Short mmCIF file of all heavy atoms in Angstrom, two decimals:
data_model
loop_
_atom_site.label_atom_id
_atom_site.label_comp_id
_atom_site.label_asym_id
_atom_site.label_seq_id
_atom_site.Cartn_x
_atom_site.Cartn_y
_atom_site.Cartn_z
N THR A 1 109.64 107.51 86.48
CA THR A 1 108.40 107.43 87.23
C THR A 1 107.25 107.84 86.31
O THR A 1 107.34 108.84 85.61
CB THR A 1 108.44 108.35 88.46
OG1 THR A 1 109.52 107.95 89.29
CG2 THR A 1 107.13 108.28 89.22
N LEU A 2 106.19 107.05 86.34
CA LEU A 2 105.01 107.31 85.51
C LEU A 2 103.78 107.11 86.37
O LEU A 2 103.64 106.08 87.04
CB LEU A 2 104.99 106.35 84.32
CG LEU A 2 103.77 106.40 83.41
CD1 LEU A 2 103.71 107.72 82.65
CD2 LEU A 2 103.80 105.23 82.43
N ALA A 3 102.87 108.08 86.35
CA ALA A 3 101.59 107.97 87.06
C ALA A 3 100.48 108.37 86.09
O ALA A 3 100.53 109.46 85.50
CB ALA A 3 101.57 108.86 88.29
N LEU A 4 99.51 107.48 85.89
CA LEU A 4 98.41 107.73 84.95
C LEU A 4 97.08 107.40 85.61
O LEU A 4 96.95 106.42 86.33
CB LEU A 4 98.55 106.86 83.70
CG LEU A 4 99.78 107.08 82.83
CD1 LEU A 4 99.83 106.00 81.74
CD2 LEU A 4 99.74 108.45 82.19
N ASN A 5 96.07 108.21 85.29
CA ASN A 5 94.69 107.97 85.68
C ASN A 5 93.88 108.10 84.40
O ASN A 5 93.80 109.19 83.84
CB ASN A 5 94.24 108.97 86.74
CG ASN A 5 92.89 108.63 87.30
OD1 ASN A 5 92.13 107.85 86.75
ND2 ASN A 5 92.56 109.26 88.42
N ALA A 6 93.31 107.00 83.91
CA ALA A 6 92.66 106.99 82.60
C ALA A 6 91.28 106.35 82.68
O ALA A 6 91.06 105.44 83.48
CB ALA A 6 93.52 106.22 81.61
N ALA A 7 90.37 106.80 81.82
CA ALA A 7 89.04 106.21 81.75
C ALA A 7 89.07 104.87 81.03
O ALA A 7 88.32 103.95 81.36
CB ALA A 7 88.09 107.16 81.04
N ASP A 8 89.97 104.72 80.03
CA ASP A 8 90.09 103.49 79.27
C ASP A 8 91.42 102.84 79.64
O ASP A 8 91.88 103.00 80.77
CB ASP A 8 90.00 103.81 77.77
CG ASP A 8 89.64 102.59 76.92
OD1 ASP A 8 89.38 101.51 77.48
OD2 ASP A 8 89.64 102.72 75.69
N ASP A 9 92.08 102.12 78.74
CA ASP A 9 93.36 101.49 79.04
C ASP A 9 94.39 102.56 79.41
O ASP A 9 94.55 103.55 78.70
CB ASP A 9 93.88 100.71 77.84
CG ASP A 9 92.99 99.54 77.45
OD1 ASP A 9 92.10 99.19 78.24
OD2 ASP A 9 93.20 99.00 76.36
N ALA A 10 95.12 102.34 80.49
CA ALA A 10 96.16 103.30 80.89
C ALA A 10 97.36 103.20 79.95
O ALA A 10 97.87 104.21 79.48
CB ALA A 10 96.57 103.06 82.33
N ILE A 11 97.82 101.98 79.66
CA ILE A 11 98.91 101.75 78.71
C ILE A 11 98.40 100.71 77.72
O ILE A 11 97.97 99.62 78.13
CB ILE A 11 100.18 101.25 79.42
CG1 ILE A 11 100.69 102.30 80.41
CG2 ILE A 11 101.26 100.89 78.40
CD1 ILE A 11 101.85 101.83 81.28
N HIS A 12 98.44 101.04 76.42
CA HIS A 12 97.87 100.15 75.40
C HIS A 12 98.81 100.09 74.20
O HIS A 12 99.29 101.12 73.74
CB HIS A 12 96.51 100.67 74.93
CG HIS A 12 95.85 99.76 73.93
ND1 HIS A 12 94.81 98.94 74.28
CD2 HIS A 12 96.09 99.54 72.63
CE1 HIS A 12 94.44 98.25 73.21
NE2 HIS A 12 95.21 98.60 72.19
N ALA A 13 99.03 98.87 73.68
CA ALA A 13 99.84 98.70 72.47
C ALA A 13 99.18 97.68 71.57
O ALA A 13 98.69 96.65 72.03
CB ALA A 13 101.25 98.23 72.83
N SER A 14 99.19 97.96 70.27
CA SER A 14 98.69 97.00 69.29
C SER A 14 99.68 95.86 69.11
O SER A 14 99.31 94.79 68.65
CB SER A 14 98.45 97.69 67.95
OG SER A 14 97.45 98.67 68.10
N GLY A 15 100.93 96.09 69.50
CA GLY A 15 101.98 95.08 69.42
C GLY A 15 102.33 94.55 70.79
O GLY A 15 101.49 94.04 71.51
N SER A 16 103.61 94.72 71.18
CA SER A 16 104.14 94.19 72.44
C SER A 16 104.57 95.31 73.37
O SER A 16 104.84 96.43 72.92
CB SER A 16 105.33 93.28 72.17
OG SER A 16 104.95 92.20 71.34
N ILE A 17 104.68 95.00 74.66
CA ILE A 17 105.15 95.94 75.68
C ILE A 17 106.21 95.25 76.51
O ILE A 17 106.02 94.11 76.95
CB ILE A 17 104.01 96.40 76.60
CG1 ILE A 17 102.97 97.20 75.80
CG2 ILE A 17 104.55 97.24 77.76
CD1 ILE A 17 101.74 97.55 76.61
N SER A 18 107.34 95.94 76.74
CA SER A 18 108.38 95.46 77.64
C SER A 18 108.66 96.56 78.66
O SER A 18 108.84 97.72 78.28
CB SER A 18 109.65 95.13 76.85
OG SER A 18 110.67 94.70 77.73
N ILE A 19 108.68 96.21 79.93
CA ILE A 19 108.87 97.18 81.01
C ILE A 19 110.03 96.72 81.88
O ILE A 19 110.07 95.57 82.32
CB ILE A 19 107.60 97.33 81.85
CG1 ILE A 19 106.44 97.84 80.98
CG2 ILE A 19 107.85 98.26 83.04
CD1 ILE A 19 105.10 97.82 81.66
N ALA A 20 110.98 97.65 82.15
CA ALA A 20 112.11 97.36 83.01
C ALA A 20 112.50 98.61 83.79
O ALA A 20 112.41 99.72 83.28
CB ALA A 20 113.30 96.87 82.19
N ASP A 21 112.93 98.41 85.03
CA ASP A 21 113.46 99.48 85.88
C ASP A 21 112.55 100.70 85.92
O ASP A 21 113.01 101.83 85.72
CB ASP A 21 114.87 99.89 85.41
CG ASP A 21 115.85 98.73 85.48
OD1 ASP A 21 115.72 97.91 86.41
OD2 ASP A 21 116.73 98.64 84.61
N SER A 22 111.28 100.49 86.19
CA SER A 22 110.30 101.58 86.17
C SER A 22 109.52 101.64 87.47
O SER A 22 109.32 100.63 88.14
CB SER A 22 109.31 101.39 85.01
OG SER A 22 109.98 101.38 83.78
N GLU A 23 109.05 102.83 87.79
CA GLU A 23 108.12 103.06 88.89
C GLU A 23 106.82 103.52 88.23
O GLU A 23 106.75 104.63 87.71
CB GLU A 23 108.64 104.15 89.83
CG GLU A 23 109.95 103.82 90.51
CD GLU A 23 109.79 102.79 91.61
OE1 GLU A 23 108.72 102.72 92.24
OE2 GLU A 23 110.75 102.02 91.83
N ILE A 24 105.80 102.65 88.22
CA ILE A 24 104.56 102.94 87.51
C ILE A 24 103.38 102.81 88.46
O ILE A 24 103.24 101.80 89.16
CB ILE A 24 104.36 101.98 86.32
CG1 ILE A 24 105.53 102.12 85.33
CG2 ILE A 24 103.04 102.24 85.62
CD1 ILE A 24 105.52 101.09 84.22
N THR A 25 102.52 103.84 88.47
CA THR A 25 101.28 103.82 89.24
C THR A 25 100.14 104.12 88.28
O THR A 25 100.17 105.14 87.59
CB THR A 25 101.30 104.86 90.38
OG1 THR A 25 102.41 104.57 91.24
CG2 THR A 25 100.02 104.83 91.19
N LEU A 26 99.13 103.24 88.25
CA LEU A 26 98.03 103.37 87.31
C LEU A 26 96.69 103.25 88.03
O LEU A 26 96.56 102.50 88.99
CB LEU A 26 98.10 102.28 86.23
CG LEU A 26 99.40 102.13 85.47
CD1 LEU A 26 99.34 100.91 84.56
CD2 LEU A 26 99.69 103.39 84.66
N ALA A 27 95.70 103.98 87.52
CA ALA A 27 94.30 103.83 87.91
C ALA A 27 93.50 103.98 86.63
O ALA A 27 93.72 104.92 85.86
CB ALA A 27 93.89 104.88 88.94
N THR A 28 92.61 103.03 86.36
CA THR A 28 91.92 103.02 85.08
C THR A 28 90.54 102.39 85.19
O THR A 28 90.28 101.60 86.10
CB THR A 28 92.75 102.26 84.02
OG1 THR A 28 92.04 102.22 82.79
CG2 THR A 28 93.07 100.87 84.47
N GLY A 29 89.68 102.73 84.25
CA GLY A 29 88.35 102.14 84.19
C GLY A 29 88.33 100.84 83.41
O GLY A 29 87.34 100.12 83.41
N ASP A 30 89.44 100.51 82.72
CA ASP A 30 89.50 99.28 81.92
C ASP A 30 90.79 98.55 82.25
O ASP A 30 91.02 98.20 83.39
CB ASP A 30 89.36 99.60 80.43
CG ASP A 30 88.98 98.39 79.59
OD1 ASP A 30 88.57 97.36 80.16
OD2 ASP A 30 89.12 98.46 78.36
N ASP A 31 91.67 98.34 81.26
CA ASP A 31 92.91 97.61 81.48
C ASP A 31 94.01 98.54 81.98
O ASP A 31 94.20 99.62 81.42
CB ASP A 31 93.39 96.94 80.19
CG ASP A 31 92.38 95.95 79.63
OD1 ASP A 31 91.55 95.44 80.40
OD2 ASP A 31 92.43 95.68 78.41
N GLY A 32 94.75 98.08 82.98
CA GLY A 32 95.92 98.85 83.42
C GLY A 32 96.98 98.84 82.32
O GLY A 32 97.43 99.88 81.87
N ILE A 33 97.37 97.65 81.89
CA ILE A 33 98.31 97.48 80.78
C ILE A 33 97.70 96.47 79.82
O ILE A 33 97.32 95.37 80.24
CB ILE A 33 99.68 96.98 81.27
CG1 ILE A 33 100.30 97.99 82.25
CG2 ILE A 33 100.62 96.73 80.10
CD1 ILE A 33 101.59 97.53 82.90
N HIS A 34 97.61 96.84 78.54
CA HIS A 34 97.04 95.95 77.52
C HIS A 34 97.97 95.92 76.31
O HIS A 34 98.38 96.96 75.81
CB HIS A 34 95.67 96.45 77.07
CG HIS A 34 95.09 95.61 75.97
ND1 HIS A 34 94.10 94.70 76.20
CD2 HIS A 34 95.37 95.53 74.64
CE1 HIS A 34 93.80 94.09 75.06
NE2 HIS A 34 94.56 94.59 74.10
N ALA A 35 98.29 94.71 75.85
CA ALA A 35 99.05 94.53 74.60
C ALA A 35 98.38 93.42 73.81
O ALA A 35 98.06 92.37 74.37
CB ALA A 35 100.50 94.19 74.87
N ASP A 36 98.17 93.65 72.51
CA ASP A 36 97.57 92.63 71.67
C ASP A 36 98.48 91.41 71.54
O ASP A 36 98.00 90.30 71.38
CB ASP A 36 97.25 93.19 70.28
CG ASP A 36 96.11 94.19 70.30
OD1 ASP A 36 95.41 94.29 71.34
OD2 ASP A 36 95.90 94.87 69.28
N LYS A 37 99.79 91.63 71.63
CA LYS A 37 100.74 90.51 71.53
C LYS A 37 101.25 90.16 72.92
O LYS A 37 100.53 89.61 73.72
CB LYS A 37 101.84 90.84 70.55
CG LYS A 37 101.31 90.97 69.13
CD LYS A 37 102.38 91.11 68.11
CE LYS A 37 101.73 91.18 66.72
NZ LYS A 37 102.70 91.37 65.68
N GLU A 38 102.49 90.48 73.24
CA GLU A 38 103.07 90.04 74.52
C GLU A 38 103.38 91.20 75.45
O GLU A 38 103.64 92.32 75.00
CB GLU A 38 104.33 89.22 74.30
CG GLU A 38 105.49 90.03 73.77
CD GLU A 38 106.77 89.21 73.64
OE1 GLU A 38 106.92 88.19 74.32
OE2 GLU A 38 107.62 89.63 72.85
N ILE A 39 103.35 90.90 76.74
CA ILE A 39 103.79 91.83 77.78
C ILE A 39 104.91 91.12 78.53
O ILE A 39 104.74 90.00 79.00
CB ILE A 39 102.66 92.20 78.75
CG1 ILE A 39 101.53 92.92 78.00
CG2 ILE A 39 103.20 93.05 79.90
CD1 ILE A 39 100.29 93.10 78.83
N VAL A 40 106.07 91.80 78.65
CA VAL A 40 107.20 91.27 79.42
C VAL A 40 107.52 92.29 80.49
O VAL A 40 107.85 93.44 80.18
CB VAL A 40 108.43 91.00 78.52
CG1 VAL A 40 109.59 90.49 79.37
CG2 VAL A 40 108.09 90.02 77.41
N TYR A 41 107.41 91.88 81.74
CA TYR A 41 107.73 92.74 82.88
C TYR A 41 109.03 92.24 83.48
O TYR A 41 109.08 91.14 84.03
CB TYR A 41 106.60 92.73 83.92
CG TYR A 41 106.74 93.84 84.91
CD1 TYR A 41 106.24 95.10 84.64
CD2 TYR A 41 107.42 93.64 86.10
CE1 TYR A 41 106.40 96.15 85.54
CE2 TYR A 41 107.59 94.67 87.01
CZ TYR A 41 107.08 95.92 86.71
OH TYR A 41 107.25 96.95 87.60
N GLU A 42 110.08 93.04 83.37
CA GLU A 42 111.42 92.62 83.80
C GLU A 42 111.73 93.01 85.24
O GLU A 42 112.24 92.20 86.01
CB GLU A 42 112.49 93.23 82.88
CG GLU A 42 112.44 92.73 81.45
CD GLU A 42 112.86 91.28 81.29
OE1 GLU A 42 113.42 90.69 82.24
OE2 GLU A 42 112.62 90.72 80.22
N SER A 43 111.46 94.28 85.59
CA SER A 43 111.85 94.76 86.92
C SER A 43 111.18 96.10 87.20
O SER A 43 110.62 96.73 86.31
CB SER A 43 113.37 94.93 86.99
OG SER A 43 113.81 95.85 86.00
N GLY A 44 111.25 96.52 88.46
CA GLY A 44 110.67 97.79 88.87
C GLY A 44 109.47 97.56 89.77
O GLY A 44 109.24 96.45 90.27
N ASN A 45 108.71 98.63 89.97
CA ASN A 45 107.53 98.57 90.83
C ASN A 45 106.31 99.01 90.02
O ASN A 45 106.29 100.11 89.47
CB ASN A 45 107.70 99.49 92.04
CG ASN A 45 108.77 98.98 92.97
OD1 ASN A 45 108.73 97.83 93.41
ND2 ASN A 45 109.74 99.81 93.27
N LEU A 46 105.31 98.15 89.99
CA LEU A 46 104.05 98.45 89.31
C LEU A 46 102.93 98.40 90.34
O LEU A 46 102.73 97.39 91.01
CB LEU A 46 103.79 97.42 88.21
CG LEU A 46 102.42 97.51 87.52
CD1 LEU A 46 102.25 98.83 86.78
CD2 LEU A 46 102.22 96.33 86.58
N LEU A 47 102.21 99.50 90.46
CA LEU A 47 101.06 99.60 91.35
C LEU A 47 99.85 99.96 90.49
O LEU A 47 99.83 101.03 89.87
CB LEU A 47 101.28 100.65 92.43
CG LEU A 47 100.06 101.04 93.28
CD1 LEU A 47 99.50 99.83 94.03
CD2 LEU A 47 100.42 102.17 94.23
N ILE A 48 98.88 99.07 90.42
CA ILE A 48 97.62 99.37 89.73
C ILE A 48 96.56 99.49 90.82
O ILE A 48 96.17 98.50 91.44
CB ILE A 48 97.27 98.31 88.68
CG1 ILE A 48 98.37 98.27 87.61
CG2 ILE A 48 95.91 98.61 88.07
CD1 ILE A 48 98.15 97.27 86.50
N LYS A 49 96.13 100.73 91.05
CA LYS A 49 95.20 101.02 92.14
C LYS A 49 93.76 100.66 91.82
O LYS A 49 92.99 100.32 92.71
CB LYS A 49 95.26 102.51 92.49
CG LYS A 49 96.57 102.97 93.07
CD LYS A 49 96.50 104.44 93.38
CE LYS A 49 97.74 104.93 94.07
NZ LYS A 49 97.63 106.34 94.45
N ARG A 50 93.38 100.77 90.52
CA ARG A 50 92.01 100.48 90.10
C ARG A 50 92.03 100.06 88.64
O ARG A 50 92.68 100.70 87.82
CB ARG A 50 91.14 101.73 90.26
CG ARG A 50 89.67 101.55 89.92
CD ARG A 50 88.86 102.85 89.98
NE ARG A 50 89.17 103.69 88.83
CZ ARG A 50 89.83 104.86 88.87
NH1 ARG A 50 90.28 105.32 90.02
NH2 ARG A 50 90.06 105.55 87.78
N SER A 51 91.31 98.96 88.32
CA SER A 51 91.22 98.52 86.93
C SER A 51 90.10 97.50 86.80
O SER A 51 89.64 96.94 87.80
CB SER A 51 92.53 97.89 86.46
OG SER A 51 92.77 96.67 87.13
N TYR A 52 89.70 97.24 85.57
CA TYR A 52 88.81 96.11 85.29
C TYR A 52 89.67 94.86 85.18
O TYR A 52 89.47 93.89 85.88
CB TYR A 52 88.01 96.36 84.01
CG TYR A 52 87.13 95.20 83.65
CD1 TYR A 52 86.03 94.86 84.44
CD2 TYR A 52 87.39 94.42 82.53
CE1 TYR A 52 85.23 93.77 84.13
CE2 TYR A 52 86.60 93.34 82.21
CZ TYR A 52 85.51 93.02 83.00
OH TYR A 52 84.73 91.94 82.69
N GLU A 53 90.65 94.89 84.28
CA GLU A 53 91.68 93.85 84.19
C GLU A 53 93.03 94.55 84.34
O GLU A 53 93.33 95.49 83.60
CB GLU A 53 91.58 93.07 82.88
CG GLU A 53 90.31 92.26 82.84
CD GLU A 53 90.13 91.45 81.59
OE1 GLU A 53 90.65 91.84 80.54
OE2 GLU A 53 89.44 90.42 81.67
N ALA A 54 93.82 94.12 85.28
CA ALA A 54 95.07 94.82 85.57
C ALA A 54 96.06 94.71 84.42
O ALA A 54 96.58 95.70 83.93
CB ALA A 54 95.68 94.31 86.87
N VAL A 55 96.35 93.47 83.99
CA VAL A 55 97.33 93.23 82.92
C VAL A 55 96.70 92.25 81.94
O VAL A 55 96.34 91.13 82.33
CB VAL A 55 98.65 92.66 83.48
CG1 VAL A 55 99.65 92.42 82.37
CG2 VAL A 55 99.23 93.60 84.54
N GLU A 56 96.56 92.65 80.67
CA GLU A 56 95.95 91.78 79.66
C GLU A 56 96.80 91.78 78.40
O GLU A 56 97.19 92.84 77.90
CB GLU A 56 94.54 92.26 79.31
CG GLU A 56 93.88 91.39 78.25
CD GLU A 56 92.49 91.86 77.89
OE1 GLU A 56 92.24 93.07 77.89
OE2 GLU A 56 91.66 90.99 77.60
N GLY A 57 97.10 90.58 77.90
CA GLY A 57 97.89 90.48 76.68
C GLY A 57 97.78 89.10 76.06
O GLY A 57 97.23 88.17 76.66
N GLY A 58 98.32 88.96 74.86
CA GLY A 58 98.36 87.67 74.18
C GLY A 58 99.21 86.67 74.95
O GLY A 58 98.91 85.48 74.98
N SER A 59 100.27 87.16 75.59
CA SER A 59 101.07 86.37 76.54
C SER A 59 101.63 87.34 77.57
O SER A 59 101.83 88.52 77.28
CB SER A 59 102.20 85.59 75.86
OG SER A 59 103.19 86.47 75.38
N ILE A 60 101.86 86.85 78.78
CA ILE A 60 102.37 87.69 79.87
C ILE A 60 103.52 86.94 80.54
O ILE A 60 103.36 85.80 80.97
CB ILE A 60 101.28 87.99 80.92
CG1 ILE A 60 100.10 88.73 80.27
CG2 ILE A 60 101.86 88.80 82.08
CD1 ILE A 60 98.87 88.81 81.16
N THR A 61 104.68 87.61 80.64
CA THR A 61 105.85 87.05 81.31
C THR A 61 106.31 88.04 82.37
O THR A 61 106.52 89.21 82.08
CB THR A 61 107.00 86.81 80.30
OG1 THR A 61 106.54 85.96 79.26
CG2 THR A 61 108.20 86.19 81.00
N VAL A 62 106.46 87.57 83.61
CA VAL A 62 106.98 88.38 84.71
C VAL A 62 108.30 87.74 85.14
O VAL A 62 108.31 86.62 85.64
CB VAL A 62 105.99 88.47 85.88
CG1 VAL A 62 106.59 89.26 87.03
CG2 VAL A 62 104.67 89.07 85.42
N ASN A 63 109.41 88.47 84.94
CA ASN A 63 110.73 87.96 85.30
C ASN A 63 111.25 88.51 86.61
O ASN A 63 112.24 88.01 87.12
CB ASN A 63 111.73 88.26 84.18
CG ASN A 63 111.41 87.47 82.92
OD1 ASN A 63 111.05 86.32 82.99
ND2 ASN A 63 111.55 88.10 81.78
N GLY A 64 110.61 89.55 87.14
CA GLY A 64 111.08 90.13 88.38
C GLY A 64 110.28 91.37 88.70
O GLY A 64 109.30 91.70 88.04
N GLY A 65 110.69 92.08 89.74
CA GLY A 65 110.00 93.29 90.14
C GLY A 65 108.92 93.02 91.16
O GLY A 65 108.71 91.90 91.61
N THR A 66 108.22 94.09 91.52
CA THR A 66 107.12 94.02 92.48
C THR A 66 105.85 94.52 91.80
O THR A 66 105.84 95.63 91.29
CB THR A 66 107.42 94.89 93.71
OG1 THR A 66 108.63 94.41 94.32
CG2 THR A 66 106.29 94.83 94.72
N LEU A 67 104.82 93.69 91.79
CA LEU A 67 103.55 94.06 91.19
C LEU A 67 102.48 94.01 92.26
O LEU A 67 102.33 92.99 92.95
CB LEU A 67 103.18 93.09 90.06
CG LEU A 67 104.03 93.18 88.80
CD1 LEU A 67 105.31 92.38 88.96
CD2 LEU A 67 103.26 92.67 87.60
N THR A 68 101.73 95.09 92.41
CA THR A 68 100.60 95.17 93.31
C THR A 68 99.40 95.53 92.46
O THR A 68 99.34 96.64 91.91
CB THR A 68 100.83 96.22 94.42
OG1 THR A 68 102.06 95.92 95.09
CG2 THR A 68 99.69 96.23 95.41
N LEU A 69 98.47 94.59 92.30
CA LEU A 69 97.38 94.75 91.33
C LEU A 69 96.02 94.73 92.02
O LEU A 69 95.76 93.87 92.86
CB LEU A 69 97.43 93.62 90.30
CG LEU A 69 98.78 93.34 89.64
CD1 LEU A 69 98.66 92.12 88.73
CD2 LEU A 69 99.27 94.55 88.87
N THR A 70 95.15 95.66 91.62
CA THR A 70 93.76 95.67 92.05
C THR A 70 92.91 95.65 90.80
O THR A 70 93.07 96.51 89.93
CB THR A 70 93.44 96.93 92.89
OG1 THR A 70 94.31 96.96 94.02
CG2 THR A 70 92.00 96.93 93.34
N ALA A 71 92.02 94.66 90.69
CA ALA A 71 91.17 94.52 89.51
C ALA A 71 89.79 94.04 89.93
O ALA A 71 89.66 93.22 90.84
CB ALA A 71 91.79 93.52 88.53
N SER A 72 88.76 94.55 89.24
CA SER A 72 87.41 94.07 89.52
C SER A 72 87.13 92.76 88.79
O SER A 72 86.19 92.05 89.14
CB SER A 72 86.38 95.13 89.13
OG SER A 72 86.44 95.43 87.76
N ASP A 73 87.96 92.39 87.80
CA ASP A 73 87.81 91.12 87.09
C ASP A 73 89.09 90.32 87.26
O ASP A 73 89.31 89.74 88.30
CB ASP A 73 87.47 91.37 85.62
CG ASP A 73 87.03 90.11 84.89
OD1 ASP A 73 86.40 89.23 85.52
OD2 ASP A 73 87.31 89.99 83.69
N ASP A 74 89.99 90.34 86.28
CA ASP A 74 91.22 89.53 86.33
C ASP A 74 92.44 90.38 86.65
O ASP A 74 92.59 91.47 86.10
CB ASP A 74 91.48 88.86 84.96
CG ASP A 74 90.34 87.96 84.54
OD1 ASP A 74 89.73 87.32 85.42
OD2 ASP A 74 90.06 87.89 83.32
N GLY A 75 93.32 89.84 87.49
CA GLY A 75 94.61 90.47 87.71
C GLY A 75 95.49 90.31 86.48
O GLY A 75 96.06 91.25 85.96
N PHE A 76 95.60 89.06 85.99
CA PHE A 76 96.28 88.73 84.74
C PHE A 76 95.26 88.06 83.84
O PHE A 76 94.57 87.13 84.26
CB PHE A 76 97.45 87.77 84.97
CG PHE A 76 98.62 88.37 85.68
CD1 PHE A 76 98.82 88.12 87.03
CD2 PHE A 76 99.52 89.16 85.00
CE1 PHE A 76 99.91 88.66 87.69
CE2 PHE A 76 100.62 89.70 85.67
CZ PHE A 76 100.81 89.46 87.01
N ASN A 77 95.21 88.50 82.58
CA ASN A 77 94.32 87.88 81.60
C ASN A 77 95.07 87.66 80.31
O ASN A 77 95.48 88.62 79.65
CB ASN A 77 93.10 88.77 81.35
CG ASN A 77 92.09 88.14 80.37
OD1 ASN A 77 92.32 87.04 79.86
ND2 ASN A 77 91.02 88.83 80.11
N VAL A 78 95.33 86.40 79.98
CA VAL A 78 95.94 86.05 78.69
C VAL A 78 94.79 85.77 77.75
O VAL A 78 94.05 84.81 77.92
CB VAL A 78 96.89 84.84 78.83
CG1 VAL A 78 97.44 84.45 77.48
CG2 VAL A 78 98.01 85.17 79.80
N SER A 79 94.65 86.67 76.78
CA SER A 79 93.50 86.62 75.89
C SER A 79 93.94 86.35 74.46
O SER A 79 95.11 86.20 74.18
CB SER A 79 92.74 87.95 75.96
OG SER A 79 93.58 88.98 75.44
N GLY A 80 92.97 86.39 73.58
CA GLY A 80 93.25 86.25 72.15
C GLY A 80 93.94 87.46 71.58
O GLY A 80 94.29 87.49 70.42
N GLY A 81 94.15 88.50 72.38
CA GLY A 81 94.89 89.65 71.93
C GLY A 81 94.07 90.90 71.77
O GLY A 81 94.54 91.99 72.00
N ASN A 82 92.80 90.79 71.38
CA ASN A 82 91.97 91.98 71.22
C ASN A 82 90.65 91.84 71.94
O ASN A 82 89.64 92.33 71.53
CB ASN A 82 91.77 92.31 69.73
CG ASN A 82 91.40 91.08 68.92
OD1 ASN A 82 91.19 90.01 69.50
ND2 ASN A 82 91.34 91.21 67.63
N ASP A 83 90.69 91.15 73.06
CA ASP A 83 89.53 90.94 73.91
C ASP A 83 89.28 92.16 74.78
O ASP A 83 90.16 92.77 75.27
CB ASP A 83 89.81 89.70 74.78
CG ASP A 83 88.70 89.42 75.77
OD1 ASP A 83 87.59 89.89 75.54
OD2 ASP A 83 88.97 88.70 76.73
#
């Protein structure tokens, strides 16, 4: 179980992020989860209570799990990687 409240990105990687079998609750002023390369969400429960962009990465793959996202801009944003 992970719970974070952050002013900037709650979870950030210059590379890739893979998440499986997790209980994650995030509140942030920017990105809930940001990876310059890829984000792979396999399973678990992700709750993003507050964000600008909930999930942002070079590519995003969701294979399972439950995602509840709140964003003032994009829920999912596939960007150039460092947007």
Side-chain angles (χ1 to χ4, degrees):
T1 300
L2 175 68
L4 297 173
N5 188 344
D8 200 4
D9 296 348
I11 298 173
H12 183 104
S14 298
S16 300
I17 295 174
S18 179
I19 299 171
D21 299 326
S22 300
E23 298 286 330
I24 300 173
T25 301
L26 306 174
T28 178
D30 198 14
D31 300 336
I33 300 174
H34 177 103
D36 290 349
K37 294 188 178 178
E38 69 177 337
I39 298 170
V40 179
Y41 194 86
E42 295 290 348
S43 59
N45 293 306
L46 173 64
L47 169 60
I48 299 181
K49 294 180 175 184
R50 182 185 74 249
S51 68
Y52 177 68
E53 293 180 333
V55 180
E56 179 180 34
S59 70
I60 301 168
T61 303
V62 177
N63 292 321
T66 301
L67 290 83
T68 305
L69 310 176
T70 302
S72 61
D73 192 33
D74 301 325
F76 290 102
N77 182 359
V78 177
S79 65
N82 46 6
D83 177 21

